[in-house]
Amino acid sequence: MRRALPACLVVCICVAAAAAQAAEWRVQRVDTPARVTEIETIDGQVRVNAGGLWYRIVPGNEQAKLDFIDKPAPPKLPEGALPDGHIAVGHHDIARAWFAAPTIRYDHGILGDKIEAGSLVIETRDGKRQTIRLNDDAVFEDLEPRIADLDRDGHDEIIVVKSYLKRGSSLAVIAERKGRYDIVAETPPLGAPHRWLNPAGIGDFDGDGRTDIALVRQPHVVGELELWNWNGGALRNTAGLADTANHIAGTRDLHMSAAADFDGDGVLDLALPSFDRSRLRLIAFAPRDSKPREIASVALPAKAVTNIGLVEGSPPALAVGLADGSLVMIRRAQ
């Protein structure tokens, strides 16, 4: 008969295995000419703002460095667009989309001011435009639409944050139905005003062949990571994990997360800070029938305060600016 291991030995083995897994990931400081204030990703290239100037990250085999670049002028916003919004670019039938009709009817101000969007404008490849206008009981509490082919049928859908003035935020999916775009699905609103959520990633995170949308519910006061599966034109909550964050109240940095295959199993994973932003957590949702698991939890020298940049490579690395003004790369040891 096979004898069970003593409980104390099982605990020791589990702790040792977790420590070995976390030890595969390390933090490297990157020399910067000045204090780092922003990180953004444009066309897959991670850019860092240090002292008001912009640099690109050059990973290197052992130590990353920064190369100065001229930041391109931002695209001119269409008339009536949200002043601090961004234009999203599609890959299929949607050419562009942006938030418009600025309004002050919702007084939350979680994104730095109390101006939100009352409508979304969609421009298709043939140059036609359609505007989705919300009723007076809601706003788009968001800065940039997320365009993705959720059901992999060659047609774009749009993912947005819709906030009800009296019931809080929901995640909404916009799709074309009978030649017109409209909101076709929403998660339940969070239940009260000033309760907000922030999307964290879009992709097949659990390996079932269908697209998922990851979000953090109330990243400032709850910090619950949720995975919503898109299937048959409906959203279904399939997983959850506590102790996460992907936004700092009052800022416009909505990308404090990154999606990539961090454990090498061929399935997308998610990187985002812990709730107190003192650690970077790498989370896997595959296999689908298991609970979310932590690939690694990497302690940071100071709290994360910027967007997270995904530096392409094998394996990929992550760049983040910290509260002490420094820049660090989190990468797996070779």
Side-chain angles (χ1 to χ4, degrees), residues 30-334:
V30 180
D31 290 336
T32 62
R35 186 180 184 89
V36 171
T37 56
E38 295 178 73
I39 290 181
E40 63 178 28
T41 303
I42 298 178
D43 297 329
Q45 184 184 80
V46 179
R47 301 176 179 184
V48 177
N49 188 315
L53 300 177
W54 288 89
Y55 303 81
R56 69 182 182 94
I57 295 179
V58 181
N61 292 329
E62 294 297 328
Q63 187 66 39
K65 66 176 184 177
L66 299 184
D67 274 358
F68 173 76
I69 57 172
D70 288 319
K71 185 183 180 184
K76 184 179 179 181
L77 291 173
E79 184 178 355
L82 189 69
D84 55 353
H86 303 280
I87 298 173
V89 178
H91 298 286
H92 299 291
D93 37 8
I94 295 178
R96 304 188 303 165
W98 61 89
F99 293 113
T103 176
I104 57 172
R105 63 175 176 252
Y106 191 45
D107 63 352
H108 192 194
I110 201 67
L111 299 177
D113 59 36
K114 296 182 181 180
I115 302 174
E116 309 301 344
S119 70
L120 173 73
V121 181
I122 301 169
E123 183 177 277
T124 53
R125 293 287 173 191
D126 58 8
K128 296 179 180 179
R129 291 184 180 180
Q130 180 189 330
T131 300
I132 297 175
R133 294 180 176 86
L134 296 180
N135 296 328
D136 290 344
D137 67 339
V139 297
F140 291 116
E141 198 172 10
D142 210 342
L143 297 177
E144 181 178 353
R146 297 148 201 85
I147 304 177
D149 182 1
L150 293 181
D151 46 17
R152 306 183 186 188
D153 64 351
H155 298 283
D156 290 319
E157 284 80 35
I158 302 176
I159 299 91
V160 297
V161 177
K162 177 183 177 181
S163 294
Y164 291 90
L165 276 58
K166 295 183 179 180
R167 294 184 289 156
S169 297
S170 66
L171 183 84
V173 174
I174 295 167
E176 184 184 21
R177 296 290 186 268
K178 298 181 179 179
R180 296 288 296 175
Y181 286 93
D182 205 351
I183 295 175
V184 297
E186 293 183 45
T187 62
L190 296 182
H194 300 176
R195 293 181 181 178
W196 182 75
L197 59 85
N198 187 27
I202 300 171
D204 181 10
F205 290 105
D206 57 13
D208 68 351
R210 294 189 289 262
T211 303
D212 307 298
I213 304 171
L215 63 85
V216 177
R217 177 167 57 90
Q218 295 179 259
H220 321 109
V221 294
V222 174
E224 181 79 12
L225 176 63
E226 297 179 350
L227 196 68
W228 290 80
N229 180 260
W230 176 256
N231 187 21
L235 288 164
R236 185 170 63 92
N237 191 346
T238 60
L241 183 72
D243 189 21
T244 62
N246 66 342
H247 182 254
I248 300 173
T251 73
R252 292 175 171 83
D253 289 342
L254 298 182
H255 303 290
M256 296 184 74
S257 60
D261 179 11
F262 296 116
D263 59 5
D265 66 352
V267 180
L268 275 180
D269 307 306
L270 196 64
L272 73 174
S274 59
F275 184 68
D276 64 2
R277 293 179 284 112
S278 68
R279 295 175 292 119
L280 189 70
R281 303 186 68 191
L282 307 183
I283 307 298
F285 293 93
R288 183 176 182 274
D289 295 331
S290 64
K291 293 182 179 180
R293 60 183 175 86
E294 190 171 73
I295 300 167
S297 178
V298 184
L300 300 172
K303 290 189 176 183
V305 295
T306 69
N307 288 329
I308 293 175
L310 179 67
V311 182
E312 299 291 348
S314 182
L318 299 154
V320 62
L322 305 181
D324 61 4
S326 64
L327 174 68
V328 295
M329 291 268 290
I330 297 91
R331 58 188 356 176
R332 195 168 67 198
Q334 298 293 323

